[in-house]
Amino acid sequence: MKIIKHDWFRVYIVMLSSVFLSWPNVYGLDLTREQVVQYALANSEIIRIQEMVEKESALTIVAARSSLLPQVDVMANYDQNWMLPSFVFNGASVTIGSENDMRTAVGLRQALFSGGRNSASKNVAEYSHLGSKSQGQSIRQSVVAQAEHAFYDVLVAIELASVSYLALKNARESLDLIKTRRAVGRGSTFEELRARGHVLSMAADSIAAVNNIVLTRLNLKSIIGLDLETAINVKGDLSRQSLWENIGIDSLIFVALKMRPDLKAMKHQLRAQEQIIRLEKSARWPVVDFVMSGQAQMQSDRLVDENAKWRKSWSTGLTLRIPVFDGFLTRSRIGQARAQLEAVRLQLSNLHRKIKLEIKTNVRRIDEAVARVNAEKQVLIEAEKAIQMSRSRFSTGAGTQLEILDAQLLLVRTQTNLALARRDRAIGFLELDRSLGLL
């Protein structure tokens, strides 16, 4: 079969579109929305880093608690005296010491009173760990949201490519109709020229739409941690819903203020900062420690001597350290801690306001997207009727080519707007769940 001029372009678009829109990839990895989320959570480096941060903060608690426990030290020392000092006494040479000297010591120190320093250090570590865990939950929700965004981008890219393909098909049919009219002497060269230009324009749009599928798939694979060469088949639609879509705004704000992980993290940070002030204030108080030590020493001219005796000693006591003047260091550190506490309170207030704004914004966007979907569905019905009517009028000579072009443009615009509205509705529900802290 001989391909006439310009038909190679149609064949190319049809084949390319078939690869991406119709033919399933036998060796591709099928991905639903749930599987995309699972891959993202399993392969995200950001989550792995946060897990290390949480592990570090948990070990910080152990380090802080160590100050409440007794500190025990054991020391052992052995000296080999190769040459001992000697002197002459009453005409006789006397050697002092022994060739082998072994000493051991045991020391114990237990804090009895530290002005609240030890308990404050422990509390700071615990609140910081809780804040780290809440921050980790927030990061995981962000990863989920990012993955779902990319998932919906692929779906809408496929729909838009389908719209472009159908627009190209309609343009080709219109061109064929004009050619048929010209064959019987009822069309003009200008009409055919304009129709060919419309076909080429739709073909260019189809190429861009198909390439957008490739780009969105690459972005999705990058986000969920798959190799970019991995073939994937995205399975799903743009019909995401939320359990909270019919709940009042005040109730949604109440839920968000209770469940948002970033808000929980900020509250833990506030409590940790309060404990830091207490920690700095403890430097003004005296410190009392219980101390116990024991020593044992053995001296002998032989390394192994059954008759050698160990000389032992034990002692217990209390140590008292009273701060008198530190160059205003403590006062300065307390002031810094109070300033940081006030900054955290302001951040917490700002986050409260931001959460309320997010809830109201997402609810408004959902209402808008739902209304757009309903409106575009009605427009789509009218656009399909218009294109059929324009072709019928043109074939009978009652209509013009401009009517067909207007009807085709209306249909393409409506199908495009409907796909984008459905994507915005799905993302709106996604962002609502995210702003509630329940993603």
Side-chain angles (χ1 to χ4, degrees):
M1 181 182 69
K2 182 179 179 181
I3 299 178
I4 63 175
K5 187 177 181 181
H6 297 302
D7 278 4
W8 64 269
F9 215 100
R10 179 178 62 179
V11 173
Y12 173 78
I13 294 300
V14 170
M15 293 179 62
L16 193 60
S17 300
S18 298
V19 171
F20 290 100
L21 302 179
S22 302
W23 297 348
N25 192 332
V26 178
Y27 302 102
L29 177 64
D30 292 337
L31 291 176
T32 63
R33 180 172 63 89
E34 293 76 11
Q35 291 171 326
V36 164
V37 170
Q38 292 175 359
Y39 274 105
L41 293 176
N43 298 330
S44 174
E45 292 85 358
I46 299 177
I47 293 180
R48 302 288 86 75
I49 294 173
Q50 179 60 28
E51 289 175 351
M52 295 301 101
V53 172
E54 294 177 17
K55 183 177 180 180
E56 179 184 0
S57 64
L59 294 175
T60 303
I61 298 178
V62 178
R65 288 175 177 172
S66 65
S67 60
L68 298 172
L69 302 175
Q71 308 299 312
V72 180
D73 298 317
V74 177
M75 183 194 71
N77 185 60
Y78 168 73
D79 292 328
Q80 170 68 52
N81 298 315
W82 299 101
M83 183 175 294
L84 298 173
S86 62
F87 62 92
V88 177
F89 182 74
N90 291 332
S93 178
V94 179
T95 302
I96 300 176
S98 58
E99 294 182 359
N100 298 285
D101 187 358
M102 287 175 284
R103 295 182 299 276
T104 60
V106 178
L108 180 144
R109 179 179 293 271
Q110 173 64 57
L112 299 180
F113 180 77
S114 62
R117 170 178 291 274
N118 295 334
S119 61
S121 298
K122 180 179 70 70
N123 292 338
V124 169
E126 290 176 347
Y127 284 129
S128 297
H129 178 58
L130 292 174
S132 179
K133 293 178 66 176
S134 297
Q135 189 63 31
Q137 185 181 0
S138 179
I139 290 175
R140 290 175 180 86
Q141 291 188 3
S142 297
V143 170
V144 171
Q146 187 181 19
E148 288 200 31
H149 267 277
F151 177 79
Y152 292 130
D153 285 343
V154 175
L155 292 180
V156 77
I158 294 175
E159 286 204 17
L160 293 178
S162 178
V163 170
S164 297
Y165 176 73
L166 292 177
L168 176 60
K169 180 181 178 182
N170 289 333
R172 292 295 310 178
E173 291 176 353
S174 298
L175 176 59
D176 293 339
L177 180 61
I178 292 174
K179 287 180 178 180
T180 302
R181 282 172 53 88
R182 284 204 64 197
V184 296
R186 298 176 57 185
S188 66
T189 304
F190 176 74
E191 288 180 340
E192 183 176 351
L193 179 63
R194 184 163 56 180
R196 288 185 184 276
H198 187 57
V199 169
L200 293 175
S201 176
M202 293 298 99
D205 291 342
S206 296
I207 294 174
V210 171
N211 185 60
N212 191 41
I213 296 177
V214 178
L215 295 178
T216 53
R217 283 177 173 172
L218 287 174
N219 182 57
L220 176 62
K221 287 185 282 188
S222 176
I223 289 175
I224 65 177
L226 293 181
D227 187 89
L228 297 183
E229 302 301 323
T230 303
I232 61 173
N233 299 316
V234 177
K235 305 292 184 180
D237 52 39
L238 297 171
S239 60
R240 191 185 201 281
Q241 299 295 324
S242 173
L243 297 175
W244 304 89
E245 57 182 296
N246 297 319
I247 307 299
I249 290 182
D250 292 337
S251 298
L252 293 176
I253 292 176
F254 176 79
V255 172
L257 295 179
K258 292 293 184 181
M259 302 303 298
R260 280 283 289 260
D262 53 346
L263 184 61
K264 293 180 181 179
M266 188 67 68
K267 290 179 179 179
H268 291 313
Q269 184 180 353
L270 180 67
R271 297 187 182 98
Q273 195 60 43
E274 292 173 345
Q275 293 299 314
I276 290 176
I277 295 178
R278 180 186 169 197
L279 176 64
E280 299 297 344
K281 286 183 176 180
S282 67
R284 293 174 171 174
W285 290 85
V287 176
V288 179
D289 293 337
F290 170 76
V291 178
M292 181 180 68
S293 63
Q295 293 184 353
Q297 183 179 20
M298 187 270 288
Q299 293 180 332
S300 174
D301 291 334
R302 291 182 298 173
L303 182 59
V304 179
D305 189 351
E306 297 179 355
N307 297 322
K309 294 183 179 180
W310 288 88
R311 297 178 177 83
K312 302 176 182 179
S313 65
W314 291 93
S315 65
T316 58
L318 298 174
T319 62
L320 174 66
R321 299 190 301 275
I322 302 176
V324 178
F325 180 72
D326 61 0
F328 306 108
L329 175 63
T330 299
R331 184 172 68 177
S332 174
R333 294 177 66 90
I334 292 174
Q336 293 175 13
R338 286 174 173 168
Q340 293 172 358
L341 176 62
E342 185 61 25
V344 174
R345 285 174 176 165
L346 293 174
Q347 292 174 5
L348 186 60
S349 176
N350 179 67
L351 184 56
H352 272 268
R353 187 167 59 252
K354 179 181 177 182
I355 289 174
K356 294 178 181 179
L357 176 62
E358 287 182 4
I359 294 295
K360 293 183 178 181
T361 300
N362 290 327
V363 170
R364 296 289 298 178
R365 287 177 175 172
I366 290 174
D367 292 341
E368 175 196 344
V370 171
R372 285 167 53 202
V373 169
N374 294 333
E376 294 297 341
K377 286 181 178 178
Q378 297 299 319
V379 177
L380 181 61
I381 295 175
E382 301 301 325
E384 290 174 345
K385 292 180 180 179
I387 197 169
Q388 293 175 0
M389 185 179 298
S390 64
R391 287 176 178 173
S392 177
R393 283 170 51 81
F394 184 78
S395 62
T396 60
T400 64
Q401 183 194 23
L402 186 59
E403 291 181 355
I404 295 179
L405 293 178
D406 288 342
Q408 289 177 345
L409 291 176
L410 176 61
L411 180 61
V412 171
R413 184 170 61 249
T414 302
Q415 290 173 331
T416 300
N417 291 340
L418 178 59
L420 294 176
R422 294 176 64 218
R423 189 273 308 273
D424 292 344
R425 181 183 61 183
I427 291 180
F429 286 131
L430 168 65
E431 289 298 328
L432 178 60
D433 289 345
R434 180 184 182 183
S435 61
L436 292 172
L438 299 173
L439 190 59

